[in-house]
Every structure is written in structure tokens, then in C-alpha cells.
Amino acid sequence: MKLNSSDIREINLLKYYRLVRKWACKTYGLKDADLELLIYLDCKGRFTRNEFMDGIYTYTWDKHRWERLKRQGWIEVWRQRNRTTIKYSIFKTSFKCSQVISRIYRILLAEEDLPFSDRSVFHKNKSYTDKVMNKAIDDMIKDKDR
């Protein structure tokens, strides 16, 4: 079954994309560009360092992005190079990354609600932005058309 633009509009897939993206970035300590890049890489499956470099051209420049994503466990080695028969390493997004992206998809499809509890990163209401995000999350949860 192939989706078209009217199908996506009908299910309101992108209606709360910005809110869900902001929630995911703050909850998991990612930058917006990092999250979108991880979604792109997750769709590719396995990739090389050069394919990663090709994927970052449309994002803001961050010299340390590759090492930071590897160090934090978002990207892992699928096959290590051995300098004789395998000339370069192949990478993939980690299980943790795949789970976060799957959760984002479930929230966008209204199969799951954004978590709203005392442990939420927005619950403390320390800043104006946190208060606005709490209000937006409440409105999203109450929305019957999503």
C-alpha cells in the first residue's frame, strides 16, 4: 500500500511534529539537527562515515557531531574494518536510537501519548518555555482529531 499526500494530511501526521521533536530533544539531550539526522540515518539502515558526511550537508555545521553521537550511544559499529579485506567500517543507528524514533512515530500516529508526569523534563515549570510546552502537551493530549 502506497501513501499519498492526502493520506498523510487526513491522519494529521505532521500536526504535532514540532512539539514531539522538541519533547524528544529535551528528554534525550539531543539537538534538533541531531535528531533529524538520526531519523535520516535510521531510514538508511547501514551507512559509512562518508554517507554520514553526505547526510549532514543540509544541517547546521557541528564539527564534533560524529564523535558525540557515537560516544552517547546513538551510532554504533555494525562491521569493523580490518585494513586488509574490509577497507572501511560500516555503522548503524543503535537499538536506543531505533526505540526513540519508533516512539516518536507512535506519538505522531496517536498510538501513544506524550508522557506527562512529575518526572517529565517540562514538569518543573522553571522557565516560560517549559510552561508553554506543558500547555501545548495538554492541548495535544486533549485533541480528539489527532
Side-chain angles (χ1 to χ4, degrees):
M1 178 175 125
K2 186 174 179 177
L3 291 175
N4 58 30
S5 59
S6 62
D7 295 335
I8 293 173
R9 178 174 283 168
E10 242 176 66
I11 62 174
N12 296 322
L13 183 65
L14 299 176
K15 186 175 183 179
Y16 292 107
Y17 172 72
R18 181 175 169 82
L19 176 64
V20 172
R21 185 190 69 196
K22 292 292 186 186
W23 165 82
C25 287
K26 189 156 185 177
T27 302
Y28 297 104
L30 291 167
K31 297 177 182 177
D32 290 340
D34 292 347
L35 178 63
E36 291 178 1
L37 179 63
L38 288 171
I39 291 170
Y40 166 77
L41 293 173
D42 190 60
C43 291
K44 286 190 75 64
R46 297 181 187 109
F47 54 92
T48 63
R49 169 72 192 236
N50 287 337
E51 290 172 334
F52 173 85
M53 297 305 286
D54 291 342
I56 63 171
Y57 285 129
T58 58
Y59 299 104
T60 55
W61 173 249
D62 184 354
K63 183 178 177 182
H64 305 288
R65 180 176 284 138
W66 174 258
E67 288 302 322
R68 187 181 63 249
L69 292 175
K70 278 181 56 182
R71 185 178 57 247
Q72 293 175 350
W74 297 104
I75 295 174
E76 58 188 24
V77 177
W78 182 75
R79 185 184 72 191
Q80 190 72 29
R81 75 183 210 151
N82 66 5
R83 299 181 191 265
T84 55
T85 57
I86 303 171
K87 302 293 183 195
Y88 49 87
S89 296
I90 296 179
F91 302 90
K92 67 178 184 127
T93 55
S94 65
F95 179 74
K96 171 176 85 168
C97 180
S98 298
Q99 291 299 307
V100 169
I101 292 169
S102 295
R103 188 171 191 192
I104 290 170
Y105 288 145
R106 286 193 307 271
I107 291 169
L108 288 173
L109 290 170
E111 295 173 357
E112 181 179 330
D113 283 332
L114 275 176
F116 191 73
S117 68
D118 295 342
R119 296 181 352 195
S120 171
V121 292
F122 300 110
H123 184 67
K124 295 177 182 135
N125 286 334
K126 288 186 177 180
S127 69
Y128 175 74
T129 306
D130 290 345
K131 292 176 185 176
V132 170
M133 290 298 284
N134 277 335
K135 173 76 169 100
I137 290 170
D138 283 342
D139 292 345
M140 179 180 157
I141 291 171
K142 291 175 186 174
D143 187 3
K144 303 291 184 210
D145 295 329
R146 68 175 200 125

